[in-house]
Amino acid sequence: MKETTKARLCGLIDEAIADGITAGMSMLVRKENEEVFYTNRGYKKREEKCEIRRDTIFRLYSMSKPITAAGAMILMEQGKLDLAQPVEEILPGFRGLQIEENGTFRTAKKPITSLHLLNMTSGLTYGGEDTQAGKMILEYLQECETKMDTEQAVTTEEFANHIGSIPLAFDPDSSWCYGLSADILGAVIEKVSGMRFGEFLEKYLFAPLGMKDTGFWVPEEKQHRLADAYETAGDGSMVPYTGNNLVISYDMKSAPAFESGGAGLVSTIDDYAKFAQMLLNGGSLNGIRVMSLKTVRFLTSGELSRNQQDAMEQWLGLEGYTYSHLMRRVKDTGRTSGLSLEGEYGWDGWLGCYFANFPKENMTILMMQQKKDAGTIPLTRKLRNVLLGE
């Protein structure tokens, strides 16, 4: 990588920190199995002037989803998970599915499958105030959050089965909506594997890949490495954000009863780089294979139908992309809102963590920050454009 490119990347991050767009960021670029760029700028604890370091731990939020998808692929490869099997046969809470349509409820035309969960075509949402079902989801999420640190804490399986009792936004496979699909998939993995979801990921992904700082909580001896999160206040200033969201505890101090496949993991930039490189390598890392080349090709391919694609592209910034297996994938480089490369795939998280793989270039881009509502923000796209335009 050119020194001028490195300087531009560092300058953009420094400007964003000075302007209060982010408290700090760690950024890593790997190409052809080698690190070509790394920087950490700004703070993991802004008030204490405690700088982000290479071993800083970040809440991944939705960047947990590709890992959950990989877990499903491993079970599929083992012959234990059939993606076409109705979820109701695994999680009984999904029997008798209802659809909300024009303010009334009716019976669903078809069941949800694991493939629908992987593609966000299940009809599950994250809730909202505009529908009865949306309000029911928000109320249940709030109820689960109030129970998080009690003996009544909701488990992964209990969470999924209850969500199955809430009407869907549309018939499975008929449209697309970003929502709780990955959380339900985590419960499916748990039931099919016969292991707690986190134990399954540890056995089949984290331990083999050496992802020693990735999991659903942060032990006491690592708590000092966990970055604080921030949000923009009404006056434009940056202030700490310490809220729980999507039944994810902010402090991450103890193992949760509910292990969220959609948002619950924490990791470091180097740990996630191992996962990303494994995918680029076709399923192996450092001589250890966690899935086959054909399985990785399946995981990183696929696309939505026309109706589903139209629904997805209502999300600003996803023009030119399609969605499958809990990741975006470039479909048309001429339509993306910035530079992109053929075959690119990846995803991001609510607090600003971001990853993209470029198979033809054997390249990974990783950005880690902790800023509320910062999945793919202008800063992310600017950094991408500088890097890909080199």
Side-chain angles (χ1 to χ4, degrees):
M1 183 184 294
K2 298 175 183 177
E3 292 303 316
T4 53
T5 302
K6 294 179 181 180
R8 286 194 187 104
L9 294 173
C10 292
L12 281 170
I13 299 171
D14 288 342
E15 288 175 13
I17 293 169
D19 293 341
I21 293 170
T22 187
M25 177 183 283
S26 182
M27 183 174 180
L28 172 65
V29 181
R30 291 178 54 82
K31 191 169 184 179
E32 299 292 347
N33 283 286
E34 294 183 359
E35 181 177 311
V36 295
F37 175 76
Y38 173 79
T39 189
N40 48 261
R41 331 285 294 184
Y43 305 104
K44 65 179 179 183
K45 297 181 184 295
R46 189 166 176 258
E47 292 71 27
E48 301 170 23
K49 302 299 182 186
C50 185
E51 296 181 348
I52 284 178
R53 296 167 53 99
R54 185 121 191 187
D55 65 353
T56 295
I57 297 171
F58 298 86
R59 301 165 190 82
L60 295 179
Y61 269 87
S62 287
M63 220 164 79
S64 305
K65 290 179 170 71
I67 292 176
T68 297
M73 295 297 106
I74 290 170
L75 277 179
M76 181 187 75
E77 185 177 288
Q78 291 175 349
K80 296 179 180 179
L81 178 63
D82 170 15
L83 300 187
Q85 181 182 11
V87 170
E88 64 186 29
E89 296 178 6
I90 302 168
L91 299 169
F94 281 81
R95 294 172 185 161
L97 282 176
Q98 296 287 299
I99 308 296
E100 181 171 1
E101 189 172 75
N102 300 321
T104 61
F105 301 155
R106 64 165 173 82
T107 302
K109 295 177 181 178
K110 63 167 66 174
I112 293 174
T113 68
S114 292
L115 184 61
H116 298 148
L117 298 176
L118 280 160
N119 291 345
M120 292 284 176
T121 57
S122 63
L124 293 164
T125 73
Y126 272 127
E129 296 292 346
D130 53 342
T131 64
Q132 296 181 63
K135 292 176 182 177
M136 292 168 70
I137 289 176
L138 292 181
E139 289 170 1
Y140 183 61
L141 291 174
Q142 182 59 46
E143 177 187 336
C144 291
E145 287 180 9
T146 62
K147 295 179 178 179
M148 280 196 304
D149 297 319
T150 73
E151 293 182 356
Q152 291 76 43
V154 176
T155 67
T156 308
E157 184 179 347
E158 289 170 343
F159 179 88
N161 278 315
H162 184 90
I163 291 297
S165 71
I166 298 175
L168 305 173
F170 51 81
D171 282 297
D173 206 35
S174 66
S175 189
W176 184 92
C177 186
Y178 197 61
L180 292 165
S181 291
D183 297 285
I184 308 309
L185 187 60
V188 168
I189 291 171
E190 188 166 284
K191 288 290 287 183
V192 172
S193 69
M195 306 169 64
R196 284 205 71 191
F197 181 37
E199 292 173 353
F200 176 85
L201 293 179
E202 177 65 28
K203 179 176 180 178
Y204 290 102
L205 276 173
F206 303 155
L209 296 178
M211 297 169 67
K212 63 184 185 301
D213 290 320
T214 304
F216 286 106
W217 63 293
V218 181
E220 178 61 32
E221 65 271 18
K222 297 182 181 181
Q223 276 284 321
H224 68 284
R225 292 163 51 198
L226 179 63
D228 287 351
Y230 296 86
E231 64 180 324
T232 301
D235 61 0
S237 63
M238 184 182 293
V239 297
Y241 171 79
T242 58
N244 301 324
N245 185 43
L246 297 177
V247 201
I248 312 300
S249 172
Y250 174 80
D251 60 31
M252 309 296 288
K253 287 184 177 179
S254 59
F258 168 54
E259 296 177 325
S260 167
L265 290 170
V266 297
S267 191
T268 63
I269 200 163
D270 283 322
D271 265 16
Y272 210 95
K274 293 174 182 177
F275 172 73
Q277 188 66 57
M278 176 274 293
L279 295 179
L280 288 177
N281 291 349
S284 66
L285 184 73
N286 298 326
I288 298 175
R289 181 161 293 281
V290 298
M291 67 178 80
S292 74
L293 174 59
K294 290 180 180 178
T295 301
V296 173
R297 286 175 177 169
F298 177 75
L299 171 62
T300 57
S301 63
E303 62 182 77
L304 301 173
S305 70
R306 179 62 182 271
N307 287 344
Q308 296 162 356
Q309 188 75 30
D310 289 345
M312 188 205 73
E313 289 199 12
Q314 300 304 307
W315 194 334
L316 184 66
L318 284 182
E319 302 87 356
Y321 288 88
T322 190
Y323 189 92
S324 66
H325 306 142
L326 301 180
M327 292 185 285
R328 64 174 171 265
R329 185 174 65 81
V330 167
K331 184 178 181 181
D332 184 350
T333 57
R335 294 187 61 236
T336 56
S337 53
L339 298 179
S340 60
L341 297 174
E342 185 180 350
E344 171 197 335
Y345 61 85
W347 200 239
D348 53 47
W350 181 64
L351 287 181
C353 293
Y354 177 94
F355 117 91
N357 265 359
F358 305 83
K360 292 187 176 182
E361 293 73 22
N362 193 7
M363 181 171 71
T364 297
I365 299 174
L366 277 166
M367 306 177 205
M368 299 290 209
Q369 59 179 325
Q370 299 284 261
K371 176 71 183 299
K372 185 179 176 184
D373 299 319
T376 300
I377 55 176
L379 172 62
T380 310
R381 289 189 286 270
K382 290 175 182 177
L383 291 167
R384 278 178 52 100
N385 287 336
V386 168
L387 179 61
L388 296 181
E390 184 181 43

